[in-house]
Amino acid sequence: MAHPKARATDGKVTYPPGVKEISDKISKEEMVRRLKMVVKTFMDMDQDSEEEKELYLNLALHLASDFFLKHPDKDVRLLVACCLADIFRIYAPEAPYTSPDKLKDIFMFITRQLKGLEDTKSAQFNRYFYLLENIAWVKSYNICFELEDSNEIFTQLYRTLFQVINNGHNQKVHMHMVDLMSSIVCEGDTVSQELLDAVLVNLVPAHKNLNKQAYDLAKALLKRTAQAVEPYITNFFNQVLMLGKTSVSDLSEHVFDLILELYNIDSHLLLSVLPQLEFKLKSNDNDERLQVVKLLAKMFGAKDSELAVQNKPLWQCYLGRFNDIHVPIRLECVKFASHCLMNHPDLARDLTDFLKVRSHDPEEAIRHDVIVSIVTAAKKDLALVNDQLLNFVRERTLDKRWRVRKEAMMGLAQIYKRFSLQAEGGKEASKQISWIKDKLLHIYYQNSIDDRLLVERIFAQYMVPHNLETTERMKCLYYLYATLDPNAVKALNEMWKCQNMLRHHVKDLLDLVGKPKSEASSKAVFSKAMVITRNLPDPGKAQDFVKKLVQVLEEDERVREQLDTLVSPSCSCKQAETCVRDITKKLGSPKQPSNPFLEMVKFLLERIAPVHFDTESISALIKQVNKSIDGTADDEDEGVPTDEAIRAGLELLKVLSFTHPVSFHSAETFESLLGCLKMDDEKVAEAALQIFKNTGSKMEESFPHIKSVLLPVLQHKAKKGPPRQAKYAIHCIHSIFSNKDTQFAQIFEQLITPLTTLGHLALLAPEQFAGPLKSLVANFIVKDLLMNDRFPGKKTTKLWVPDDEVSPETLAKIQGIKLMVRWLLGVKNNLSKSGNSTLRLLTAILSSDGDLTEQGKMGKPDMSRLRLAAGCALLKLAQEPCYHEIITLEQYQQCALVINDECYQVRQAFAQKLNKGLWGLKLPLEYLAIFALCAKDPVKERRAHARQCLSKNVNIRREYLKQHAAVSEKLFSLLPEYVVPYTIHLLSHDPDYIKVQDIEQLKDIKECLWFILEIIMSKNENNSHAFIRKMVESIKQTKDVQAPSDPKINEKLYTVCDVAMNIVMSKSTTYSLESPKDPVLPARFFTQPDKPKAANVLGAVNKPLSSAGKQLQTKSSRMETISNASSNSNPASPGRNKGRLDSGDMDHSENEDITSLKKGDKRDDPDVARDSDRPRGRKRGPASSQEDSSGQDVKPKRGRKKATADSDQWGDEPQAGDVSMETEDEQNSPPKKGRRGRPPKSATAKAEMPSKGRRGRKKAPSPEEEESGGEVQEEEEEEHEDGDSENMEVKPKAGRQARTPRRSQQRYYVRFTNETVDEMDDEEEEEEEEDAEFTSPKVSETEVSGQVKQKMRKGRREEREEMGPQEAWSVLLVTPQAKPTELGEGKAGCWTPGDLALDGALLWQPLLSLISIITFLLLCIKLCQLVLYLNQGSPGASKGRCECLLLF
């Protein structure tokens, strides 16, 4: 070091001139004074004054003594620190201090003095600043690099500077601190972790918020030393992120916060760290991935961030986290999207696909936040989001969760108001979101009351804000209505209609509350309150609130008066706002901020308050329409053609005239409408007439001057105006004028040919014009107009043309048909039989396809128009009870077929008229069955519309029955379930249903039935499924009224019943329960049910049988129908478990008979073949015309020749038995046209049976035995088959029928193998071919009966309970196909003793041999039970059963 000699030889301290010795012997003040002089001396010295440096060397050493360094006075310490700082400056680069410990003490001393910088208002602050400036400029601390404890010194310095920095420091202080600290980092060899922590700790959010100046200081330091400090930062993050060494620093837990801050400071600091984040994104630790995702979301979403562009792999890896399995991670990614869209629009394309997937995320919160992110960005600038992103929001308006739907709807509403209503984004932005208004109104079609209430709120606050000035509000509504699509217009009209209806309900409630209390009035109040409840959200809770509101209305007269004012038709918009405010203030409570009752009242007030329309508003709206008519409106600027604006405005006025008629009662409004009446535009005049019709009820009293001007105009329109104007003119006169009879008489005298006018005159004043019109209808309308084709129609292949292309003659005929109908509706009686004649005429039009004269002159479009007119006319007449009674079934069926018309427009219009009549409960219930035919419509949209109409009508009737408990006597005409008999009858007379057992036709029937039953059976209220089942069973006990003696028609009816029963059984698990009520079948359609006879001594001989195809209404017969299905409905039921074992017993006898019959002889028994092809319970008439004509007993003719003929006859027909075997998918609507029926057993048996080599074959039994055995097989096999069809699942494969997986259905495999080998799997085909070589001996009838008895003893419990010995014999001895004529001369469906004598062998021969074989038979049955039990649970159960049966 410097001056070693001087220090060694001279230890005397030399002070500057005028400064005496500084020691502990002087006072503090004197020491301070002397030190100041020393400071002044050192300040004036520079590095070049060698003599002075040598002179004051000992002083420099003296000032570094412990006496000064540890002096208690801060002023002394400050002055000494300033001297030491100058000494380091003067003696640089060599310090006068050689001891490392002394140097450490000195610099730690100086560091402690720097704490004085904290108080910027201190008197000594300038000296502290001088100290800082001096050591920063000289870089004095660099001397410490050579010290071992340098890290401790630097760390203490950094911490001190970060601690003292505050907002009172100026820029110079900040700069000197940065200079001082940066020199240590940049010129040092290393940066320790402690020193790095001292800097980074100020970036942690907690510290950052406490001392913003320290954060800025650290930020400036890192920016200046970025290159030098980057390796040490990288090493720190490597230790923590990659190696997991969290102990290296206390900041390890803040590592992700530090990465974000460092990236914001200088991205180059993290060049080597970012790849580590990509690795962390794929970590298995959910929390770690979540932290990284949060970090990167901030880094990518920062406004000036270029990270996504600079580091593509990391960006793509981050996007992959949108599909992370951890929900919070996906949620964080979605939240990030809004910042990214707002700050980096160029990344929207990358985000779109991932947001699309997340918009369908199973988590509600994620779908919700997707909407929030997109809407937030869109509200900032619509250009930030593309159409795809907006479509995601659009889709979520139909989300299953209300929270998501609400967010999507409110978001779209806010976007619409900002960029379309307020036009912030210009015309382009408004055009981009033009679909929003339509979409929001479409939501009003939803069933949820919450959705509908939100649409009403959105309309009032965002689409047409109610707080706008009246003229501006009506202008906004005017152009909104003109630009809506048709469905949105309907929704808006429905919204106003519902609000108006609710106003009327509240008005009625107020009237009831004002009446004196009584039991009747209390019930009426309760009923009306329940109606109001259904118009509020959460009706369950709203019910209590409405009751409370009723109580408030009864007690508080002021609230009742305000509410009465609110629902008054004359209430203005300003009055409505005042009333709503006063009522909510009255019912609210400051002590209860969350008041559910008040919220409900607000919902109610929002719906009923007329905040948009009053007399002033209607007047302003009409002025706006007049501006468009005069051409002074800015329609083109609003993007609406003038013609469309005018028509939309008049349509709007017309709708408002229904909902707010009193608001039109002003002279100015009526005068404007008179001006519209005189315009040449027919649409404008027509709309004005409708408005007058709806609003002119008090015009005669209040506006006589308007009445006097209006009457001549109306008379002129009625006489010479277009048909629709004439129609409305007549209605206007009827509704406005008190002397309407005089006015009608004047019009009638002058009008003969205007059919429209005459028709409405007849409708509105029948007592005046009924007589004259009768001759006019008969002589002119029918003979001259409808029965003549004066002009040939255009030859075209089109079935429909627009209205303006329809020939005038056809239009006249349509008006003529309408006139007849209106005339009859006015008369309302059929005393003159005019109704019958009209119905026959209309039916003739339908039968002739619209060409009544059948001369071929009419074009196809004209014929379509007339068919539609005739069909609608029949529907109109059916709404009047006196005409409904005289409509025959044939006419009803002819009318129903219009819904299957070849012309699409005819089907569409007819369905709408039908729905309208049913919706208003005007048409009888049988007309609801017509919708079943819509299942055949080739157009998917038509089927969907018909299904929607059907569902709506069913719900309306059910709701009506709930609200009107007193109409129980009309249950037959209102209960939707009663449509089933009408549907069955209608389908049985379907012209397309020709062959009774044609499989394709039956599938069509099933499709139509399911079209109705799917909606009827959707709710099983009051055990309606059992009620439907009982109805179907009851129909099978009746006959068709149209042809009670025609066996083919009745067989069709019973077949349709079987299909319906199959649907009910397969789609319901409760159909087998007891029906709550006995169904009442319509007498117009069905005869009285047959009454069964009791069995006599002979049991089966006189046991009553159902007639062809019917089932007995007894418990046992019903159990035969449903036993398997009902036991299978409960997996744990004993009947089900036992049925699996015992079914094998029954299969023994059944399949033995099948096998023996098929392999015993080449000839096939016709009854067996036919029975196997038919569903259970279906009976067939005689097989030949010879039997029909003879009408005699057919038993002697049951020979082999006849059997062969019948077998050939049935061999080519598909089997109807497969109707019950369709898959569950096929039973859903609409059934697929996939699998066909199985081929006849006889044909398959012939193909499979070897002609020689039969072994063990007994003598072929007589035909009677064959019939008996076939019957047993038929009855029992079909019982199993029907019972299990409910649970069968058949998955069709190409060219083959798939197997059912249910073990309970394995009993079908023998039958399937005998029919077609292609229906089995390959392994089972080989097994069946091996088994086919065996031929079991034929079992006699006695053996069969013995087996049945064994089954009764050891079989299923329900059969043992339900089937007695006599019924068991009847199963064996009675042929299902037998007609009454075949059963002798007894009652229909019963055998007589004479019949028994003819077939004595059938009964007595088996009994004689019963004793000899009973032991053998019991042994065989036990053996079969054992084999089935052993094979029950194994995959080879089917094979074991087959082998057992065949070997037996």
Side-chain angles (χ1 to χ4, degrees), residues 968-1021:
S968 57
E969 67 276 2
K970 299 181 181 179
L971 196 64
F972 179 76
S973 61
L974 291 172
L975 191 64
E977 281 74 9
Y978 270 116
V979 78
V980 175
Y982 299 120
T983 306
I984 290 175
H985 188 275
L986 180 62
L987 293 176
S988 68
H989 289 271
D990 188 354
D992 294 337
Y993 185 28
I994 301 172
K995 294 183 179 180
V996 178
Q997 297 190 8
D998 183 276
I999 193 67
E1000 292 300 324
Q1001 296 174 16
L1002 286 175
K1003 284 187 177 181
D1004 289 340
I1005 294 295
K1006 179 181 178 182
E1007 193 172 340
C1008 295
L1009 280 170
W1010 179 238
F1011 197 83
I1012 290 283
L1013 290 175
E1014 181 182 15
I1015 296 172
I1016 297 295
M1017 295 174 64
S1018 61
K1019 293 183 179 179
N1020 187 20
E1021 297 179 354

Side-chain angles (χ1 to χ4, degrees), residues 18 79 293 558 593 857 1075 1117 1202 1358:
L79 293 172
V293 166
R558 175 62 179 165
K857 291 184 178 181
S1075 173
S1117 65
K1202 176 180 178 295
E1358 54 266 35

Side-chain angles (χ1 to χ4, degrees), residues 676-696:
C676 294
L677 270 183
K678 299 175 182 179
M679 292 180 61
D680 295 333
D681 192 324
E682 292 186 6
K683 294 289 184 181
V684 173
E686 183 181 318
L689 283 170
Q690 293 184 63
I691 296 171
F692 272 119
K693 168 180 170 287
N694 298 328
T695 61

